[in-house]
Amino acid sequence: MIMRMVSSKISHILVLFVLFSQLFIYGCKESDRSTIAMGLNTSPVNLDPRYATDAISYRVSRLIYKSLIDFDEKYHVIPQLAVWQKLSPTHYRFILGEKYREFHDGSKLSSEDVKATYDSVLNSNNVSPHRGSIAMIKSIEIVDFDTIDFKLSYPDPLFPGRCVIGILPKKFIYKKHDFSREPIGSGPIKILYWENDENLKLKRISDNKIIELITLKDPIVRVLKLLKGDIDLIQGNLPPEVITWLGKKQYLNVEKKIGNTFTYIGFNLEDPIVGNILIRNAIAHAIDRESIIKYVMSSSARKAGSLLPPEHWASNSNLSGFKYNPKKSKKFLKDAGYDGLTPLKLIYKTSNDPFRLRLATIIQKQLESIGIEIEIRSYDWGTFYGDIKEGRFQMYSLSWVGLKMPDIFYYIFHSDSVPPYGANRGRFKDAKVDEILDLVRSETSLNKQAIYYKNLQEYLMRSLPYIPLWYEDNVLISKSNIKGYKLSTDGNFDSLIYIQND
Amino acid sequence: MNFDYLIKRFFSAVFVLFSILTFVFFLIHIVPGDPIEVMLGESARVADRYALRESLGLNLSITQQWLNYLNNFLHFDLGKSLYSNQLVIELLFKHIPDTFLLSLASLFVAILIAVPLGIFSAVYKGSILDKASILLATLGISIPNFVMGPLLILIFSLWLGWFPVSGNDEISSIILPALTLGSALAAILSRMIRSSMLETLQQDYIRSARARGITEFNIIVFHALRNAALPVVTVLGMQFGALLAGAVITETVFSWPGIGQLMIESIQKRDYPVVQGCVLLISFTYVLVNLITDFICILIDPRIHDKND
């Protein structure tokens, strides 16, 4: 009897549930062509270009703000808000052009706004992380409404390339406006709504199209959202096998373009084992990058031979890294005193990102085949980064994202750049490298600088403070009605300025 | 329930909160990782790093920082996020409603599934239904949320199109995350209810009730279930606290902007004031829920009150 009573109640509940769910189905929003939604793996942290340091904040900020200059595909500096003249090695004049001259509040962008923005970054009280990159500025002088002079304390031929900070309106800087959450720039896209970190709504000024940036941390959920049609496109940060699977869907487009995210293995050169060049050479020749790229990364990467990709004007395009050669590896190991009887154990640190961890286990297996036992230790970003900065590692793997300026070599390999003074995390100290880097700093011709950098990259391949692995491709997965998205090498979102959903 | 008992419980709650806050404060400060490095990156100048460290009070000794924190806390000031500069209290208030809503919905789902399942399993012990419920409970406990979540999305969002994939823009958005969280809890609860009911159904007063001709439905619902509910209510209280803090995976899968996500992100970024705020909120809720559970238990079974007296 109880069973009968309860089954009748259950059937009532089921009917109610179905009716209730139908109510929700009809309540669901219909797809909206006035909106383009993009799925992100992480939210922007800070949309104030004076303080933004993470890649997503930088990519979104580029849409909202405009800077004096930009870079072309070969990393040459090109005008954006302004053209420039080199009046002397320490004197640059920028003349504002016609484009992007109106801020989102309707006011006109002038040389005063440029000065206020740069003064604000240079003001030590504001603690901008970008102050160091423009520390050579001695004074900024307004010539007229459209013209501004930068005087430097020492010659810097790369100076125009440092003027990448988005320009803010002066009156809002003085009002201490919170640009991090309520950005006001002169870019083609302005902010509409950003209450929750997970949902940033932007508006394209040219056609009032809404651009929605939705943060979906779980890659599978990002894909499911795309398949359901809740979002229109995803750029990168998906497991390679998922990308391959999505490529078979007729209603989706998958595009790839070479990228400049440089992945490498770094060593602590103060460590008695990996400080030995023979051990580093053994490791370099034991890693089968071709197989990893082909089978694990679904050919979504290209082999790297240096920090800068081959298309960069200062890159040594002849370099492509080490060839996989286990015999050579074993010989290096033998020369280093590890002949198989003496076990060699190393600790490899990486982040807890599942894909990085998977790559670490593959490298672990490859090194095991030549007799190197690897213990993988993966940590959350804060701990991992802290350890790397403090030199608490033997070897680790990381990536450099969005490198554009060649003086990054000074910052990473000069002996004066050991943290906290730079990013020489491996404590690499080499007199010849220091000499080249000091020479290149004092060289005023960019062509001659390029020659120095090319030689330096060759030398670094021999001294091996890093093992270059690969440059990861940028991948776009979009619904087939999305037209006009062009992937860029540095993975920026600039195409959101003009794409359409037909 | 006397006044002394309430005072005792209050002070023990304050002590628990203080201990947790102290422990977490020192723990998060001694693990490797520096918020200044994460905020400014490696390119910042040493002087700027020092200036920022000083402006945030991170240059002081850890004991001094702790004393400052306590002082501010006593003035109801939980500080500001090191990253977004938002007040911690504001951040918490922004995330609390979603977390509470999800936790309550999950509890509701768990009770909705577990109570009938537990009762049927006990009443029809050894039947197919009982075996099926064991199977369901094992599945519920074994399937991790990061599998259950996408599976539910696949079925109910993608194939059937009934609910949104993620987010919290629509009322129906809560159903799948609540099912994901609630199903695991339902599995535990249904087994508890079953064993508790089995024990209760053996009692003399149940036999007496049957002899008095009371219907089986009334015996089970009004006589047995009330007594069997005691251990279940205790577990529910504990689980509610766990739901508040432990829904990180579900929140991530469904992009649900709750406290769990906020706390994990803050730990990764070493955003000390936000971590402290989250821990305080969660432990406060735990303590409060336990207190309420105790009172409910006393209401269900007044003998507990007498024992405490």
Side-chain angles (χ1 to χ4, degrees), chain A residues 211-475:
Chain A
I211 307 287
E212 210 173 339
L213 302 178
I214 302 170
T215 304
L216 301 154
K217 293 199 173 93
D218 190 300
I220 301 303
V221 176
R222 228 175 303 141
V223 168
L224 290 173
K225 276 268 211 196
L226 181 72
L227 292 174
K228 195 178 177 219
D230 289 349
I231 56 173
D232 299 294
L233 64 153
I234 300 170
Q235 188 182 303
N237 295 299
L238 288 178
E241 64 276 11
V242 175
I243 295 169
T244 310
W245 179 74
L246 290 172
K248 293 171 188 159
K249 303 273 170 201
Q250 281 187 338
Y251 52 91
L252 292 178
N253 286 331
V254 176
E255 286 170 47
K256 285 182 192 177
K257 181 167 182 177
I258 52 167
N260 66 354
T261 299
F262 168 76
T263 304
Y264 66 94
I265 289 178
F267 298 100
N268 184 347
L269 300 167
E270 287 177 347
D271 180 86
I273 302 173
V274 292
N276 182 344
I277 181 84
L278 294 169
I279 300 292
R280 300 202 296 278
N281 262 304
I283 293 170
H285 286 94
I287 298 173
D288 184 1
R289 292 181 301 162
E290 261 173 48
S291 298
I292 295 176
I293 290 171
K294 189 174 174 188
Y295 299 110
V296 185
M297 303 178 82
S298 306
S299 303
S300 296
R302 55 189 166 141
K303 286 190 284 182
S306 170
L307 264 172
L308 301 176
E311 60 274 13
H312 196 289
W313 62 268
S315 170
N316 189 331
S317 52
N318 297 326
L319 301 173
S320 63
F322 291 93
K323 282 192 175 159
Y324 174 57
N325 190 339
K327 274 186 190 167
K328 215 171 173 178
S329 274
K330 283 180 185 166
K331 188 176 178 310
F332 276 121
L333 272 186
K334 201 176 171 186
D335 292 348
Y338 297 96
D339 50 5
L341 298 170
T342 327
L344 174 55
K345 288 183 185 176
L346 296 174
I347 294 167
Y348 180 118
K349 289 192 175 178
T350 185
S351 71
N352 55 6
D353 176 271
F355 186 62
R356 302 290 149 196
L357 203 52
R358 200 197 305 175
L359 288 172
T361 55
I362 291 161
I363 290 171
Q364 178 190 42
K365 199 73 193 161
Q366 290 184 348
L367 294 182
E368 192 185 284
S369 69
I370 60 152
I372 300 177
E373 200 180 306
I374 295 285
E375 184 192 333
I376 297 169
R377 291 189 188 169
S378 76
Y379 302 97
D380 73 282
W381 176 249
T383 309
F384 175 55
Y385 189 53
D387 277 2
I388 299 306
K389 291 266 303 174
E390 294 299 321
R392 286 190 293 264
F393 63 91
Q394 273 187 309
M395 59 190 281
Y396 70 97
S397 177
L398 254 177
S399 298
W400 282 103
V401 182
L403 296 181
K404 287 188 173 118
M405 300 284 271
D407 61 344
I408 185 77
F409 285 103
Y410 189 97
Y411 179 60
I412 296 177
F413 296 117
H414 198 281
S415 59
D416 286 347
S417 297
V418 171
Y421 301 99
N424 186 349
R425 300 152 176 170
R427 279 73 185 156
F428 178 61
K429 284 166 192 161
D430 186 300
K432 190 170 178 191
V433 169
D434 285 357
E435 191 190 325
I436 299 174
L437 287 169
D438 290 335
L439 271 172
V440 83
R441 265 197 158 186
S442 56
E443 178 53 63
T444 53
S445 150
L446 286 183
N447 289 336
K448 284 184 183 165
Q449 278 205 359
I451 294 167
Y452 279 126
Y453 280 123
K454 284 172 191 188
N455 293 337
L456 174 72
Q457 287 161 73
E458 244 180 55
Y459 184 77
L460 286 171
M461 276 300 279
R462 291 197 296 273
S463 46
L464 217 55
Y466 275 16
I467 296 176
L469 294 176
W470 45 71
Y471 307 106
E472 289 168 25
D473 289 350
N474 292 312
V475 183

Side-chain angles (χ1 to χ4, degrees), chain A residues 14-25:
Chain A
L14 274 174
V15 170
L16 277 173
F17 178 73
V18 171
L19 285 174
F20 198 50
S21 51
Q22 291 300 314
L23 187 78
F24 283 121
I25 299 163

